[in-house]
Amino acid sequence: MKNDLFSIGPLTIHSYGLMIALGILVCVFMGMYRARKYGYKDEAVLDIAIFGILSGFIGAKLLYVLVEFDRFLENPMDVLGSEGFVVYGGIIVGALAGVLYCRIKKLPCWEYFDLLAPSIAVAQGFGRIGCFLAGCCYGRPTDAFWGVTFPEGSFAPAGVPLIPTQLISSVGDFAIAGILLLYNKRNKKAGNVGILYMLLYGIGRFLVECLRSDDRGTVGMLSTSQFISIGIVLLAIVLFFRHKLFKGTKKRRKRRSIKMIKSGR
């Protein structure tokens, strides 16, 4: 657990930023590889990733501003210039950016969502490792043998054994990615892989939030992320049953791959 890894002159490499960057790279390369495998446009995946990442950072910061709105009113630059982000803001705004791109380029939005959902989960897994190294998003105090004590200089309270919620989240995100990849092989309807991602992540995030102890905003008795998680899970359930009423299978993927082979691409 180390927030500052090393410095090169005035430039300091932070563990959180490094893991975020690594997660993004793995996400993009994994998405492009799977795009070529299933006959999609890998350049479209790269474009979606660029727009989604840029929009995601803005969304994550905007939701953080809403969570810390009282502090923002007192000192706007203190909040805007801080290292604070809320992941759900990034996911929601980044996803909307991806949808907008697909609509503009007339691409099958649900199919690209299926394609990228496992990559997104992998990127989140790396991001949570960054949270652990920085000490943010920490859990409640615990006497259990698996409690983690953070050093001075971390965002977490130093010298107190805490539940490693960051690592729990990371393992969960990687597990979700694996489940999605396996389900993708059996899935017959476009959109179901992406919807399953929403369902699994929403449930997992809600449960992990029960173990966290950091200040992250509340909506009634729930944390902000728990409140959003309920909405995400309900939306996933509605979308799943809605998809059962409409056609839209993965046959398009197979036909696209066959056309590419015949055309020598």
Side-chain angles (χ1 to χ4, degrees), residues 18 25 76 168 213-214 229:
L18 180 63
L25 288 175
I168 294 173
S213 181
D214 57 316
S229 292

Side-chain angles (χ1 to χ4, degrees), residues 183-205:
Y183 178 67
N184 181 68
K185 297 179 179 180
R186 303 172 61 88
N187 176 48
K188 301 300 181 183
K189 183 162 291 188
N192 279 353
V193 175
I195 294 171
L196 180 60
Y197 160 75
M198 294 170 59
L199 181 66
L200 294 177
Y201 182 78
I203 294 174
R205 182 62 186 270

Side-chain angles (χ1 to χ4, degrees), residues 63 67 88 209 216-219 222-229:
L63 187 53
V67 171
Y88 256 134
E209 286 287 312
R216 59 202 183 281
T218 59
V219 179
L222 304 173
S223 71
T224 303
S225 293
Q226 282 180 316
F227 181 77
I228 297 174
S229 292

Side-chain angles (χ1 to χ4, degrees), residues 68-218:
E68 298 288 338
F69 195 67
D70 290 339
R71 189 158 66 92
F72 173 75
L73 292 178
E74 295 176 1
N75 192 343
M77 293 310 300
D78 182 55
V79 175
L80 293 175
S82 70
E83 298 178 353
F85 292 93
V86 177
V87 173
Y88 256 134
I91 295 174
I92 293 171
V93 177
L96 291 176
V99 170
L100 180 61
Y101 176 88
C102 289
R103 290 293 179 87
I104 293 174
K105 296 294 184 178
K106 295 181 172 55
L107 298 173
C109 183
W110 281 115
E111 293 183 38
Y112 274 89
F113 188 23
D114 286 347
L115 183 73
L116 291 172
S119 304
I120 295 171
V122 168
Q124 290 175 300
F126 279 101
R128 286 304 179 187
I129 294 175
C131 291
F132 177 73
L133 294 175
C136 61
C137 308
Y138 52 88
R140 299 200 307 260
T142 179
D143 294 326
F145 71 92
W146 42 275
V148 175
T149 302
F150 289 87
E152 294 289 345
S154 299
F155 289 99
V160 181
L162 303 173
I163 299 174
T165 48
Q166 311 95 327
L167 297 183
I168 294 173
S169 296
S170 180
V171 171
D173 289 330
F174 288 131
I176 289 173
I179 292 171
L180 296 180
L181 290 172
L182 291 174
Y183 178 67
N184 181 68
K185 297 179 179 180
R186 303 172 61 88
N187 176 48
K188 301 300 181 183
K189 183 162 291 188
N192 279 353
V193 175
I195 294 171
L196 180 60
Y197 160 75
M198 294 170 59
L199 181 66
L200 294 177
Y201 182 78
I203 294 174
R205 182 62 186 270
F206 184 93
L207 295 176
V208 171
E209 286 287 312
C210 296
L211 304 176
R212 285 175 58 171
S213 181
D214 57 316
D215 184 17
R216 59 202 183 281
T218 59

Side-chain angles (χ1 to χ4, degrees), residues 42-52 101 105:
D42 54 356
E43 64 272 17
V45 170
L46 181 59
D47 290 342
I48 292 173
I50 292 173
F51 287 115
Y101 176 88
K105 296 294 184 178

